[in-house]
Amino acid sequence: MTREQAILNFLDEMEEKGLHGVLLTLRGQTLAEGYYAPFAAERMHRLYSVSKSVVSLAVGMLADEGRLSLDDSIVRYFPEWVDENTSPLLREVTLRHMLTMSTCYDRAMYAPLRDEEWTKPFFYGRPTHPAGTLFHYDTSASQAMCALVERLTGEDILSFMQRRLFDKIGMDGPKRWLRDRAGTSQGGTGLLMTLRDLSRLANFCMSDGQGIVSEAYLHAATSRQIPSDERGAPEERYGYGYQFWRMCEGFSMYGLGGQMALCLPGEQLALCTTGDMMLSPVGVQPIYDAFFRHLAGIGALPSDRADDERLQERLRALRLAPLPGGSGMHRRVHIKMKESRLPMSALTLYPDRLVFCIDGQNWTLPCGTGEWREGVFPGTAQPCICSGGWESGNRYNMHGELWGDFVCPMELHLTINGSRAALRVCGALGECVPGWEGLAWGEVTTED
């Protein structure tokens, strides 16, 4: 077995699992880098909860400077949201509790679609248990810590981290950090950057901190601070650090849908991925499984020039699999909805596009047959890619992926039965495009 063959085996196992990019490094040197077209190296990717790990590093730098203590109560820093009605259980929550997801809450205290200010709800929630006793994944804790970083530094967290960390370790690609409607950066979920910069960050987190973050903090952040054995996914049961997950070996930064940095410090091995696995019933577990099955220990394997040529050819040929087109690919069908839990009142399918009628306005979504086409998701300014086709004479399938500020999937399935058509849309559009999940049916008024 060679290193290159091990990587090829990993790619084989991850075929059509929803990856968008993969970058593997050993002792800081790139062993493999590839992107599933139409995704590309220079494109920023939403990293979701990897943002939490970056917030942790910012908190660590401020703690190193004495500008805060991990044993400080969070309410100390937000007096405007504390009064005689503030629960004693909330008053006991420290920054350490927040870093380790052991707050007094059993869920996040804000609702992205409802709350304009995402930080404030943390201070008005109803506690469910004493802090420091249980692990509960609480994104509102990450949000409040991000707001604290911005309050103490007087700048947005991306500007702070760019100046204090990113520039110093060569993270020179484009970046963005989304904000809530009140203007605070989305600490638990809002970071966008390239896969290469994620890889540079992962390698930094396996270092001694390089004089930027103290070695003591970085070691504690990536070590097991609290058990998490009640979690459902196997690789989430090995404990949690300071906004970093532990694995059976090493640690990870883990974002929704496949935004991953799996790190083995003992080997100085880091696998970074981007992807869209939100609709997978097993989540991102296949990435963990394939990593430990094929890549852990790769440093002990020899290299082979012929195998490397095969690997490079494979990496250049990576493609996100489109839906195939069937025998009905040239059909045009118009459906007027009779009953709908979806936002459209009518839908017209063309060979190269779908047209949705929403509140009396037509929205065109380009859709490739056997290929991906770029467009803008109906009713939004969000870019997306779509592929679709007729599976049979009466069934049409479409798969779309948003790939801008949000990275999330949608699947549309249409079945025609005589003069009637039933439509099902499932997806994970959530916060960005509410209402696009459910059933509708209607009359086929035009078909040719």
PDB file of all heavy atoms in Angstrom, residues 250-283:
ATOM      1  N   GLY A 250      -7.187  12.345  18.448  1.00  0.00           N
ATOM      2  CA  GLY A 250      -7.093  13.701  17.938  1.00  0.00           C
ATOM      3  C   GLY A 250      -8.350  14.514  18.178  1.00  0.00           C
ATOM      4  O   GLY A 250      -9.186  14.199  19.032  1.00  0.00           O
ATOM      5  N   PHE A 251      -8.496  15.595  17.411  1.00  0.00           N
ATOM      6  CA  PHE A 251      -9.615  16.508  17.591  1.00  0.00           C
ATOM      7  C   PHE A 251     -10.112  16.986  16.234  1.00  0.00           C
ATOM      8  O   PHE A 251      -9.461  16.771  15.205  1.00  0.00           O
ATOM      9  CB  PHE A 251      -9.202  17.715  18.446  1.00  0.00           C
ATOM     10  CG  PHE A 251      -8.159  18.602  17.813  1.00  0.00           C
ATOM     11  CD1 PHE A 251      -8.511  19.644  16.965  1.00  0.00           C
ATOM     12  CD2 PHE A 251      -6.816  18.385  18.067  1.00  0.00           C
ATOM     13  CE1 PHE A 251      -7.548  20.456  16.372  1.00  0.00           C
ATOM     14  CE2 PHE A 251      -5.834  19.201  17.482  1.00  0.00           C
ATOM     15  CZ  PHE A 251      -6.209  20.227  16.635  1.00  0.00           C
ATOM     16  N   SER A 252     -11.267  17.644  16.248  1.00  0.00           N
ATOM     17  CA  SER A 252     -11.815  18.139  14.985  1.00  0.00           C
ATOM     18  C   SER A 252     -12.474  19.491  15.179  1.00  0.00           C
ATOM     19  O   SER A 252     -12.921  19.847  16.273  1.00  0.00           O
ATOM     20  CB  SER A 252     -12.830  17.155  14.396  1.00  0.00           C
ATOM     21  OG  SER A 252     -14.022  17.140  15.155  1.00  0.00           O
ATOM     22  N   MET A 253     -12.513  20.267  14.098  1.00  0.00           N
ATOM     23  CA  MET A 253     -13.429  21.383  13.931  1.00  0.00           C
ATOM     24  C   MET A 253     -14.512  20.866  12.995  1.00  0.00           C
ATOM     25  O   MET A 253     -14.211  20.294  11.949  1.00  0.00           O
ATOM     26  CB  MET A 253     -12.702  22.587  13.327  1.00  0.00           C
ATOM     27  CG  MET A 253     -11.661  23.189  14.232  1.00  0.00           C
ATOM     28  SD  MET A 253     -10.831  24.640  13.506  1.00  0.00           S
ATOM     29  CE  MET A 253      -9.566  23.829  12.517  1.00  0.00           C
ATOM     30  N   TYR A 254     -15.763  21.072  13.369  1.00  0.00           N
ATOM     31  CA  TYR A 254     -16.852  20.335  12.726  1.00  0.00           C
ATOM     32  C   TYR A 254     -18.004  21.296  12.451  1.00  0.00           C
ATOM     33  O   TYR A 254     -18.615  21.824  13.361  1.00  0.00           O
ATOM     34  CB  TYR A 254     -17.256  19.192  13.657  1.00  0.00           C
ATOM     35  CG  TYR A 254     -18.559  18.486  13.400  1.00  0.00           C
ATOM     36  CD1 TYR A 254     -19.199  18.533  12.162  1.00  0.00           C
ATOM     37  CD2 TYR A 254     -19.148  17.718  14.400  1.00  0.00           C
ATOM     38  CE1 TYR A 254     -20.385  17.881  11.945  1.00  0.00           C
ATOM     39  CE2 TYR A 254     -20.342  17.050  14.191  1.00  0.00           C
ATOM     40  CZ  TYR A 254     -20.960  17.141  12.973  1.00  0.00           C
ATOM     41  OH  TYR A 254     -22.141  16.484  12.755  1.00  0.00           O
ATOM     42  N   GLY A 255     -18.272  21.510  11.155  1.00  0.00           N
ATOM     43  CA  GLY A 255     -19.372  22.355  10.742  1.00  0.00           C
ATOM     44  C   GLY A 255     -20.433  21.576   9.990  1.00  0.00           C
ATOM     45  O   GLY A 255     -20.130  20.597   9.289  1.00  0.00           O
ATOM     46  N   LEU A 256     -21.657  22.008  10.107  1.00  0.00           N
ATOM     47  CA  LEU A 256     -22.818  21.362   9.508  1.00  0.00           C
ATOM     48  C   LEU A 256     -22.585  20.996   8.045  1.00  0.00           C
ATOM     49  O   LEU A 256     -22.091  21.805   7.255  1.00  0.00           O
ATOM     50  CB  LEU A 256     -24.009  22.319   9.620  1.00  0.00           C
ATOM     51  CG  LEU A 256     -25.339  21.884   9.026  1.00  0.00           C
ATOM     52  CD1 LEU A 256     -25.939  20.766   9.863  1.00  0.00           C
ATOM     53  CD2 LEU A 256     -26.306  23.073   8.987  1.00  0.00           C
ATOM     54  N   GLY A 257     -22.915  19.763   7.693  1.00  0.00           N
ATOM     55  CA  GLY A 257     -22.945  19.349   6.301  1.00  0.00           C
ATOM     56  C   GLY A 257     -21.642  18.857   5.712  1.00  0.00           C
ATOM     57  O   GLY A 257     -21.590  18.495   4.545  1.00  0.00           O
ATOM     58  N   GLY A 258     -20.556  18.839   6.497  1.00  0.00           N
ATOM     59  CA  GLY A 258     -19.296  18.309   5.967  1.00  0.00           C
ATOM     60  C   GLY A 258     -18.148  19.292   5.955  1.00  0.00           C
ATOM     61  O   GLY A 258     -17.131  19.040   5.295  1.00  0.00           O
ATOM     62  N   GLN A 259     -18.285  20.400   6.684  1.00  0.00           N
ATOM     63  CA  GLN A 259     -17.179  21.361   6.804  1.00  0.00           C
ATOM     64  C   GLN A 259     -16.323  20.865   7.973  1.00  0.00           C
ATOM     65  O   GLN A 259     -16.660  21.066   9.131  1.00  0.00           O
ATOM     66  CB  GLN A 259     -17.681  22.772   7.043  1.00  0.00           C
ATOM     67  CG  GLN A 259     -19.002  23.177   6.416  1.00  0.00           C
ATOM     68  CD  GLN A 259     -19.348  22.625   5.068  1.00  0.00           C
ATOM     69  OE1 GLN A 259     -18.522  22.601   4.161  1.00  0.00           O
ATOM     70  NE2 GLN A 259     -20.579  22.167   4.912  1.00  0.00           N
ATOM     71  N   MET A 260     -15.215  20.225   7.639  1.00  0.00           N
ATOM     72  CA  MET A 260     -14.490  19.464   8.650  1.00  0.00           C
ATOM     73  C   MET A 260     -12.995  19.760   8.610  1.00  0.00           C
ATOM     74  O   MET A 260     -12.414  20.001   7.555  1.00  0.00           O
ATOM     75  CB  MET A 260     -14.666  17.952   8.409  1.00  0.00           C
ATOM     76  CG  MET A 260     -16.091  17.497   8.193  1.00  0.00           C
ATOM     77  SD  MET A 260     -17.081  17.512   9.688  1.00  0.00           S
ATOM     78  CE  MET A 260     -16.381  16.132  10.562  1.00  0.00           C
ATOM     79  N   ALA A 261     -12.384  19.710   9.798  1.00  0.00           N
ATOM     80  CA  ALA A 261     -10.929  19.657   9.906  1.00  0.00           C
ATOM     81  C   ALA A 261     -10.624  18.570  10.928  1.00  0.00           C
ATOM     82  O   ALA A 261     -10.846  18.766  12.125  1.00  0.00           O
ATOM     83  CB  ALA A 261     -10.357  20.995  10.340  1.00  0.00           C
ATOM     84  N   LEU A 262     -10.193  17.409  10.450  1.00  0.00           N
ATOM     85  CA  LEU A 262      -9.874  16.275  11.314  1.00  0.00           C
ATOM     86  C   LEU A 262      -8.371  16.275  11.542  1.00  0.00           C
ATOM     87  O   LEU A 262      -7.591  16.159  10.586  1.00  0.00           O
ATOM     88  CB  LEU A 262     -10.322  14.963  10.674  1.00  0.00           C
ATOM     89  CG  LEU A 262     -11.766  14.904  10.138  1.00  0.00           C
ATOM     90  CD1 LEU A 262     -12.112  13.496   9.684  1.00  0.00           C
ATOM     91  CD2 LEU A 262     -12.755  15.389  11.184  1.00  0.00           C
ATOM     92  N   CYS A 263      -7.955  16.393  12.789  1.00  0.00           N
ATOM     93  CA  CYS A 263      -6.553  16.651  13.116  1.00  0.00           C
ATOM     94  C   CYS A 263      -5.997  15.563  14.022  1.00  0.00           C
ATOM     95  O   CYS A 263      -6.575  15.280  15.082  1.00  0.00           O
ATOM     96  CB  CYS A 263      -6.417  18.000  13.806  1.00  0.00           C
ATOM     97  SG  CYS A 263      -7.018  19.402  12.834  1.00  0.00           S
ATOM     98  N   LEU A 264      -4.858  14.989  13.635  1.00  0.00           N
ATOM     99  CA  LEU A 264      -4.118  14.042  14.452  1.00  0.00           C
ATOM    100  C   LEU A 264      -2.776  14.675  14.794  1.00  0.00           C
ATOM    101  O   LEU A 264      -1.810  14.554  14.037  1.00  0.00           O
ATOM    102  CB  LEU A 264      -3.918  12.724  13.702  1.00  0.00           C
ATOM    103  CG  LEU A 264      -5.174  11.964  13.274  1.00  0.00           C
ATOM    104  CD1 LEU A 264      -4.806  10.656  12.585  1.00  0.00           C
ATOM    105  CD2 LEU A 264      -6.091  11.702  14.472  1.00  0.00           C
ATOM    106  N   PRO A 265      -2.670  15.368  15.930  1.00  0.00           N
ATOM    107  CA  PRO A 265      -1.431  16.079  16.249  1.00  0.00           C
ATOM    108  C   PRO A 265      -0.211  15.176  16.346  1.00  0.00           C
ATOM    109  O   PRO A 265       0.898  15.595  15.998  1.00  0.00           O
ATOM    110  CB  PRO A 265      -1.753  16.733  17.603  1.00  0.00           C
ATOM    111  CG  PRO A 265      -3.236  16.839  17.642  1.00  0.00           C
ATOM    112  CD  PRO A 265      -3.744  15.636  16.909  1.00  0.00           C
ATOM    113  N   GLY A 266      -0.405  13.951  16.828  1.00  0.00           N
ATOM    114  CA  GLY A 266       0.735  13.043  16.941  1.00  0.00           C
ATOM    115  C   GLY A 266       1.392  12.753  15.615  1.00  0.00           C
ATOM    116  O   GLY A 266       2.614  12.529  15.542  1.00  0.00           O
ATOM    117  N   GLU A 267       0.611  12.745  14.550  1.00  0.00           N
ATOM    118  CA  GLU A 267       1.136  12.512  13.208  1.00  0.00           C
ATOM    119  C   GLU A 267       1.303  13.802  12.423  1.00  0.00           C
ATOM    120  O   GLU A 267       1.855  13.780  11.324  1.00  0.00           O
ATOM    121  CB  GLU A 267       0.191  11.592  12.421  1.00  0.00           C
ATOM    122  CG  GLU A 267      -0.042  10.224  13.019  1.00  0.00           C
ATOM    123  CD  GLU A 267      -0.975   9.386  12.154  1.00  0.00           C
ATOM    124  OE1 GLU A 267      -0.872   9.464  10.913  1.00  0.00           O
ATOM    125  OE2 GLU A 267      -1.818   8.667  12.724  1.00  0.00           O
ATOM    126  N   GLN A 268       0.792  14.917  12.974  1.00  0.00           N
ATOM    127  CA  GLN A 268       0.727  16.181  12.236  1.00  0.00           C
ATOM    128  C   GLN A 268       0.013  15.975  10.902  1.00  0.00           C
ATOM    129  O   GLN A 268       0.451  16.433   9.840  1.00  0.00           O
ATOM    130  CB  GLN A 268       2.122  16.774  12.034  1.00  0.00           C
ATOM    131  CG  GLN A 268       2.721  17.356  13.292  1.00  0.00           C
ATOM    132  CD  GLN A 268       1.957  18.580  13.799  1.00  0.00           C
ATOM    133  OE1 GLN A 268       1.946  19.627  13.154  1.00  0.00           O
ATOM    134  NE2 GLN A 268       1.309  18.458  14.966  1.00  0.00           N
ATOM    135  N   LEU A 269      -1.118  15.260  10.998  1.00  0.00           N
ATOM    136  CA  LEU A 269      -1.940  14.944   9.830  1.00  0.00           C
ATOM    137  C   LEU A 269      -3.262  15.690   9.954  1.00  0.00           C
ATOM    138  O   LEU A 269      -3.902  15.675  11.008  1.00  0.00           O
ATOM    139  CB  LEU A 269      -2.201  13.439   9.761  1.00  0.00           C
ATOM    140  CG  LEU A 269      -3.035  12.926   8.586  1.00  0.00           C
ATOM    141  CD1 LEU A 269      -2.242  13.034   7.282  1.00  0.00           C
ATOM    142  CD2 LEU A 269      -3.464  11.474   8.824  1.00  0.00           C
ATOM    143  N   ALA A 270      -3.684  16.355   8.879  1.00  0.00           N
ATOM    144  CA  ALA A 270      -4.955  17.086   8.893  1.00  0.00           C
ATOM    145  C   ALA A 270      -5.704  16.843   7.592  1.00  0.00           C
ATOM    146  O   ALA A 270      -5.168  17.087   6.506  1.00  0.00           O
ATOM    147  CB  ALA A 270      -4.723  18.576   9.094  1.00  0.00           C
ATOM    148  N   LEU A 271      -6.928  16.376   7.715  1.00  0.00           N
ATOM    149  CA  LEU A 271      -7.837  16.262   6.577  1.00  0.00           C
ATOM    150  C   LEU A 271      -8.888  17.352   6.708  1.00  0.00           C
ATOM    151  O   LEU A 271      -9.602  17.423   7.712  1.00  0.00           O
ATOM    152  CB  LEU A 271      -8.533  14.907   6.547  1.00  0.00           C
ATOM    153  CG  LEU A 271      -9.664  14.795   5.509  1.00  0.00           C
ATOM    154  CD1 LEU A 271      -9.104  14.790   4.091  1.00  0.00           C
ATOM    155  CD2 LEU A 271     -10.533  13.568   5.758  1.00  0.00           C
ATOM    156  N   CYS A 272      -8.991  18.204   5.700  1.00  0.00           N
ATOM    157  CA  CYS A 272     -10.012  19.250   5.679  1.00  0.00           C
ATOM    158  C   CYS A 272     -10.945  19.014   4.504  1.00  0.00           C
ATOM    159  O   CYS A 272     -10.479  18.691   3.402  1.00  0.00           O
ATOM    160  CB  CYS A 272      -9.368  20.634   5.591  1.00  0.00           C
ATOM    161  SG  CYS A 272      -8.412  21.066   7.065  1.00  0.00           S
ATOM    162  N   THR A 273     -12.230  19.175   4.754  1.00  0.00           N
ATOM    163  CA  THR A 273     -13.230  18.960   3.705  1.00  0.00           C
ATOM    164  C   THR A 273     -14.265  20.072   3.739  1.00  0.00           C
ATOM    165  O   THR A 273     -14.502  20.702   4.764  1.00  0.00           O
ATOM    166  CB  THR A 273     -13.960  17.613   3.873  1.00  0.00           C
ATOM    167  OG1 THR A 273     -14.713  17.629   5.094  1.00  0.00           O
ATOM    168  CG2 THR A 273     -12.989  16.451   3.881  1.00  0.00           C
ATOM    169  N   THR A 274     -14.891  20.291   2.607  1.00  0.00           N
ATOM    170  CA  THR A 274     -16.133  21.040   2.519  1.00  0.00           C
ATOM    171  C   THR A 274     -17.141  20.148   1.821  1.00  0.00           C
ATOM    172  O   THR A 274     -16.769  19.229   1.083  1.00  0.00           O
ATOM    173  CB  THR A 274     -15.964  22.357   1.740  1.00  0.00           C
ATOM    174  OG1 THR A 274     -15.349  22.081   0.462  1.00  0.00           O
ATOM    175  CG2 THR A 274     -15.092  23.342   2.514  1.00  0.00           C
ATOM    176  N   GLY A 275     -18.417  20.403   2.051  1.00  0.00           N
ATOM    177  CA  GLY A 275     -19.411  19.542   1.434  1.00  0.00           C
ATOM    178  C   GLY A 275     -20.825  19.963   1.761  1.00  0.00           C
ATOM    179  O   GLY A 275     -21.072  20.986   2.398  1.00  0.00           O
ATOM    180  N   ASP A 276     -21.757  19.132   1.330  1.00  0.00           N
ATOM    181  CA  ASP A 276     -23.173  19.343   1.578  1.00  0.00           C
ATOM    182  C   ASP A 276     -23.803  17.976   1.804  1.00  0.00           C
ATOM    183  O   ASP A 276     -24.293  17.346   0.879  1.00  0.00           O
ATOM    184  CB  ASP A 276     -23.826  20.064   0.408  1.00  0.00           C
ATOM    185  CG  ASP A 276     -25.295  20.399   0.667  1.00  0.00           C
ATOM    186  OD1 ASP A 276     -25.796  20.011   1.745  1.00  0.00           O
ATOM    187  OD2 ASP A 276     -25.926  21.026  -0.188  1.00  0.00           O
ATOM    188  N   MET A 277     -23.747  17.523   3.057  1.00  0.00           N
ATOM    189  CA  MET A 277     -24.259  16.205   3.423  1.00  0.00           C
ATOM    190  C   MET A 277     -25.459  16.336   4.361  1.00  0.00           C
ATOM    191  O   MET A 277     -25.773  15.426   5.113  1.00  0.00           O
ATOM    192  CB  MET A 277     -23.144  15.388   4.079  1.00  0.00           C
ATOM    193  CG  MET A 277     -21.916  15.236   3.186  1.00  0.00           C
ATOM    194  SD  MET A 277     -20.480  14.502   3.995  1.00  0.00           S
ATOM    195  CE  MET A 277     -21.030  12.801   4.195  1.00  0.00           C
ATOM    196  N   MET A 278     -26.163  17.475   4.282  1.00  0.00           N
ATOM    197  CA  MET A 278     -27.236  17.738   5.230  1.00  0.00           C
ATOM    198  C   MET A 278     -28.408  16.771   5.092  1.00  0.00           C
ATOM    199  O   MET A 278     -29.119  16.517   6.068  1.00  0.00           O
ATOM    200  CB  MET A 278     -27.736  19.175   5.065  1.00  0.00           C
ATOM    201  CG  MET A 278     -26.717  20.219   5.433  1.00  0.00           C
ATOM    202  SD  MET A 278     -27.432  21.872   5.301  1.00  0.00           S
ATOM    203  CE  MET A 278     -25.952  22.873   5.437  1.00  0.00           C
ATOM    204  N   LEU A 279     -28.630  16.255   3.902  1.00  0.00           N
ATOM    205  CA  LEU A 279     -29.764  15.352   3.696  1.00  0.00           C
ATOM    206  C   LEU A 279     -29.399  13.889   3.915  1.00  0.00           C
ATOM    207  O   LEU A 279     -30.253  13.015   3.823  1.00  0.00           O
ATOM    208  CB  LEU A 279     -30.330  15.537   2.288  1.00  0.00           C
ATOM    209  CG  LEU A 279     -30.946  16.898   1.994  1.00  0.00           C
ATOM    210  CD1 LEU A 279     -31.540  16.924   0.589  1.00  0.00           C
ATOM    211  CD2 LEU A 279     -31.998  17.278   3.026  1.00  0.00           C
ATOM    212  N   SER A 280     -28.134  13.628   4.226  1.00  0.00           N
ATOM    213  CA  SER A 280     -27.714  12.249   4.459  1.00  0.00           C
ATOM    214  C   SER A 280     -28.271  11.756   5.791  1.00  0.00           C
ATOM    215  O   SER A 280     -28.133  12.430   6.818  1.00  0.00           O
ATOM    216  CB  SER A 280     -26.187  12.152   4.473  1.00  0.00           C
ATOM    217  OG  SER A 280     -25.778  10.883   4.954  1.00  0.00           O
ATOM    218  N   PRO A 281     -28.873  10.574   5.826  1.00  0.00           N
ATOM    219  CA  PRO A 281     -29.416  10.053   7.087  1.00  0.00           C
ATOM    220  C   PRO A 281     -28.342   9.723   8.108  1.00  0.00           C
ATOM    221  O   PRO A 281     -28.641   9.598   9.296  1.00  0.00           O
ATOM    222  CB  PRO A 281     -30.183   8.795   6.650  1.00  0.00           C
ATOM    223  CG  PRO A 281     -29.551   8.389   5.358  1.00  0.00           C
ATOM    224  CD  PRO A 281     -29.142   9.663   4.685  1.00  0.00           C
ATOM    225  N   VAL A 282     -27.092   9.583   7.680  1.00  0.00           N
ATOM    226  CA  VAL A 282     -26.001   9.263   8.611  1.00  0.00           C
ATOM    227  C   VAL A 282     -25.082  10.460   8.828  1.00  0.00           C
ATOM    228  O   VAL A 282     -24.026  10.348   9.455  1.00  0.00           O
ATOM    229  CB  VAL A 282     -25.191   8.045   8.117  1.00  0.00           C
ATOM    230  CG1 VAL A 282     -26.054   6.807   8.138  1.00  0.00           C
ATOM    231  CG2 VAL A 282     -24.625   8.283   6.721  1.00  0.00           C
ATOM    232  N   GLY A 283     -25.467  11.627   8.312  1.00  0.00           N
ATOM    233  CA  GLY A 283     -24.691  12.832   8.545  1.00  0.00           C
ATOM    234  C   GLY A 283     -23.282  12.735   7.985  1.00  0.00           C
ATOM    235  O   GLY A 283     -23.057  12.194   6.902  1.00  0.00           O
TER     236      GLY A 283
END
